Amino acid sequence: MYIPKYFKITNVDEILDFVQKNSFGTIVTTEQEKPIATHLPLVLNKKGDDYYITGHIAYGNPQWRTFETCEDVLVMFQGPHAYISSSWYGHEEVPTWNYQAVHVYGKASILEKDELLEGLTIMMGKYEKHRENPILMDKLSPQLLERQLKGIVGFKIKVGEIQAAYKLSQNRNETDYMNIIDQLQNEGNPHSKQMAELMEKRLKN
């Protein structure tokens, strides 16, 4: 990923927190030199000194068969993004787009059944535990669980290289920066509002 120096993020804890909060990712591999991608909910785990991204994919999706033949897979995570009009600057300029993105490269492998069950337990706990009537693994009947397991393939990706870009108008002067925040707040667009909040938060850090 091309990252100008203004927008490069290197704080590992910050990046990992971003992945946890924006965990619906895109996995990219190649098959006969053709890129293929799948969009999936994923979970970031730490085991020992290593980080792993775990998830599962439909058995009928042929991408899982490429996991062990690709030297590296690419996982992309994206946060809020918004169009930035050049009319918001105090000088002539071209429009642009603000965004947050993290790319993770790593080696993928297929999970054994017990590892898949562990991964499913963690994932369901993450997305269900705060709900009024959480559906957790221990509430599923063995019959349903066995039937569903036949239709999915679990995988883990050992995290290798991480690239992170937060393009939040860091290269603009203070007057333009504050005006961009104001304009985004007034867009009436949820993505724009989220971007404005991110830019405001950056000022406080």
Side-chain angles (χ1 to χ4, degrees):
M1 175 168 55
Y2 170 64
I3 310 176
K5 63 179 182 179
Y6 288 114
F7 313 131
K8 187 173 184 178
I9 302 300
T10 57
N11 185 305
V12 175
D13 289 337
E14 182 179 359
I15 296 170
L16 296 177
D17 183 64
F18 174 88
V19 171
Q20 292 283 22
K21 292 177 178 176
N22 299 273
S23 54
F24 189 76
T26 302
I27 297 180
V28 182
T29 59
T30 57
E31 183 177 29
Q32 297 179 348
E33 300 184 357
K34 180 180 179 180
I36 53 177
T38 301
H39 310 278
L40 294 168
L42 301 164
V43 176
L44 178 67
N45 300 299
K46 185 177 183 181
K47 291 191 175 181
D49 294 328
D50 297 316
Y51 286 92
Y52 292 87
I53 293 170
T54 61
H56 59 277
I57 193 168
Y59 183 85
N61 184 338
Q63 188 178 16
W64 69 266
R65 300 181 187 278
T66 69
F67 286 165
E68 294 187 318
T69 59
C70 287
E71 183 175 343
D72 267 331
V73 304
L74 166 63
V75 188
M76 298 184 291
F77 301 94
Q78 184 171 302
H81 56 91
Y83 178 78
I84 307 299
S85 172
S86 56
S87 67
W88 301 343
Y89 305 145
H91 56 282
E92 185 180 25
E93 188 54 276
V94 295
T96 189
W97 208 284
N98 279 5
Y99 64 90
Q100 288 182 301
V102 169
H103 287 189
V104 177
Y105 294 87
K107 178 64 179 174
S109 57
I110 302 302
L111 297 179
E112 298 293 336
K113 183 178 179 180
D114 59 336
E115 293 178 301
L116 173 57
L117 288 170
E118 179 185 359
L120 291 171
T121 301
I122 294 172
M123 180 174 287
M124 291 180 71
K126 176 178 180 178
Y127 295 111
E128 286 281 346
K129 64 182 180 182
H130 64 283
R131 302 185 187 279
E132 185 176 351
N133 298 298
I135 302 298
L136 301 173
M137 285 289 284
D138 58 4
K139 291 188 177 181
L140 298 178
S141 69
Q143 296 82 2
L144 173 64
L145 187 56
E146 284 299 318
R147 189 164 64 247
Q148 294 298 318
L149 287 176
K150 292 178 182 178
I152 60 175
V153 176
F155 61 86
K156 64 181 177 182
I157 300 166
K158 185 178 180 180
V159 174
E161 183 182 359
I162 301 176
Q163 301 172 351
Y166 292 3
K167 186 173 180 293
L168 306 175
S169 299
Q170 299 97 314
N171 56 332
R172 300 300 170 188
N173 62 52
E174 183 179 355
T175 300
D176 287 349
Y177 191 92
M178 298 307 298
N179 191 45
I180 292 169
I181 292 175
D182 290 341
Q183 295 290 342
L184 288 171
Q185 289 281 17
N186 294 325
E187 285 276 273
N189 180 304
H191 292 292
S192 297
K193 183 175 175 58
Q194 286 179 308
M195 179 53 64
E197 291 170 351
L198 277 172
M199 292 175 65
E200 284 185 323
K201 183 178 179 182
R202 177 179 168 270
L203 293 176
K204 300 173 183 177
N205 291 340

